[in-house]
Amino acid sequence: MSKCVLVHGAFRGSWAWDRVVHELSSRGVTAVAVDLRGGEPSMSEWIDDVLCAVDPGDVVVGHSMGGVVARAASRWPQVSRVVLIAAPVIGSGQRAVDVSGPPPASLPPRTTNIPATPVSEANGFDASLAAWGNERLSPTPFGPRLDVVEVDDQVPLSIAFCSHTPEIFPSVTSRRRFDAEGRGYETIECHHAAPLLAPAAVADFIARAVSQDRT
């Protein structure tokens, strides 16, 4: 039976999906979360990190910037569906920085590691969860955001945006584009870090997407 391969967003690791994995298991869906390598990786190396966990027929799920990696992985035939949660929606020939809102005056060097910003109640976390998460946050490499990706538009795509994602986040740029184009998506009533803050709602969305491939 196929499974879900979960790809974390910036500053996080596979631990960010712990609650979702538990919720999916209770819904009869098998899931594994991967860790994207640090250092100075390329986007292709991040895709390799994902594909190492993918078997034929699997669904790849990406949260936030992990959604760019998940979408890029759609080019490989073993991926049956891509699920994006609060993620920028990238197309062939684009880079992550191309779908991240108005471009800044200058971009940092490729070798830059962006430091993590601690989370707090302002991001929807209670004190206990914020402390737990802040202990685990790590810098994220900037380099993969500069790599052009190719995607397979024939692979089914399920998309949910979060209702309380800050306006400056890349996924909001994609949500506005979808609204302007009249394209459909689901909404998860939550701050941006939905896998941590609303794991049941995220698992429900993923399970619905997976069920489409089983029917």
Side-chain angles (χ1 to χ4, degrees):
M1 181 178 293
S2 62
K3 66 181 184 297
C4 292
V5 177
L6 311 176
V7 189
H8 62 82
F11 314 117
R12 289 160 171 77
S14 58
W15 53 267
W17 290 104
D18 286 354
R19 294 181 171 191
V20 175
V21 171
H22 175 75
E23 292 284 349
L24 286 172
S25 178
S26 72
R27 291 159 175 77
V29 179
T30 300
V32 296
V34 300
D35 282 305
L36 300 178
R37 72 189 74 184
E40 298 180 14
S42 64
M43 178 61 73
S44 64
E45 288 175 315
W46 272 0
I47 295 169
D48 286 344
D49 292 339
V50 173
L51 293 176
C52 283
V54 174
D55 295 310
D58 283 353
V59 174
V60 180
V61 183
H63 170 248
S64 194
M65 290 304 298
V68 174
V69 190
R71 182 92 163 111
S74 68
R75 288 187 61 211
W76 274 258
Q78 59 263 50
V79 177
S80 67
R81 177 178 291 272
V82 173
V83 178
L84 304 182
I85 298 166
V89 184
I90 197 164
S92 287
Q94 291 184 311
R95 307 170 300 170
V97 295
D98 296 328
V99 293
S100 297
S106 62
L107 294 171
R110 182 183 183 88
T111 55
T112 300
N113 273 294
I114 306 169
T117 300
V119 298
S120 67
E121 293 181 3
N123 310 114
F125 288 75
D126 61 34
S128 176
L129 184 58
W132 182 86
N134 286 332
E135 288 179 354
R136 292 162 173 78
L137 294 177
S138 59
T140 193
F142 178 72
R145 290 164 171 77
L146 299 174
D147 293 335
V148 172
V149 303
E150 300 296 329
V151 305
D152 185 346
D153 288 322
Q154 300 305 308
V155 173
L157 183 63
S158 300
I159 300 171
F161 295 113
C162 292
S163 58
H164 301 315
T165 295
E167 292 294 307
I168 63 171
F169 277 47
S171 63
V172 175
T173 301
S174 291
R175 187 187 70 205
R176 288 175 180 153
R177 188 177 81 247
F178 273 46
D179 288 340
E181 296 173 354
R183 297 174 64 183
Y185 57 85
E186 291 196 31
T187 300
I188 296 175
E189 296 296 328
C190 181
H191 283 261
H192 186 72
L196 286 168
L197 299 174
V202 170
D204 283 342
F205 176 66
I206 295 171
R208 285 196 298 274
V210 170
S211 70
Q212 296 179 57
D213 293 321
R214 293 179 177 174
T215 56

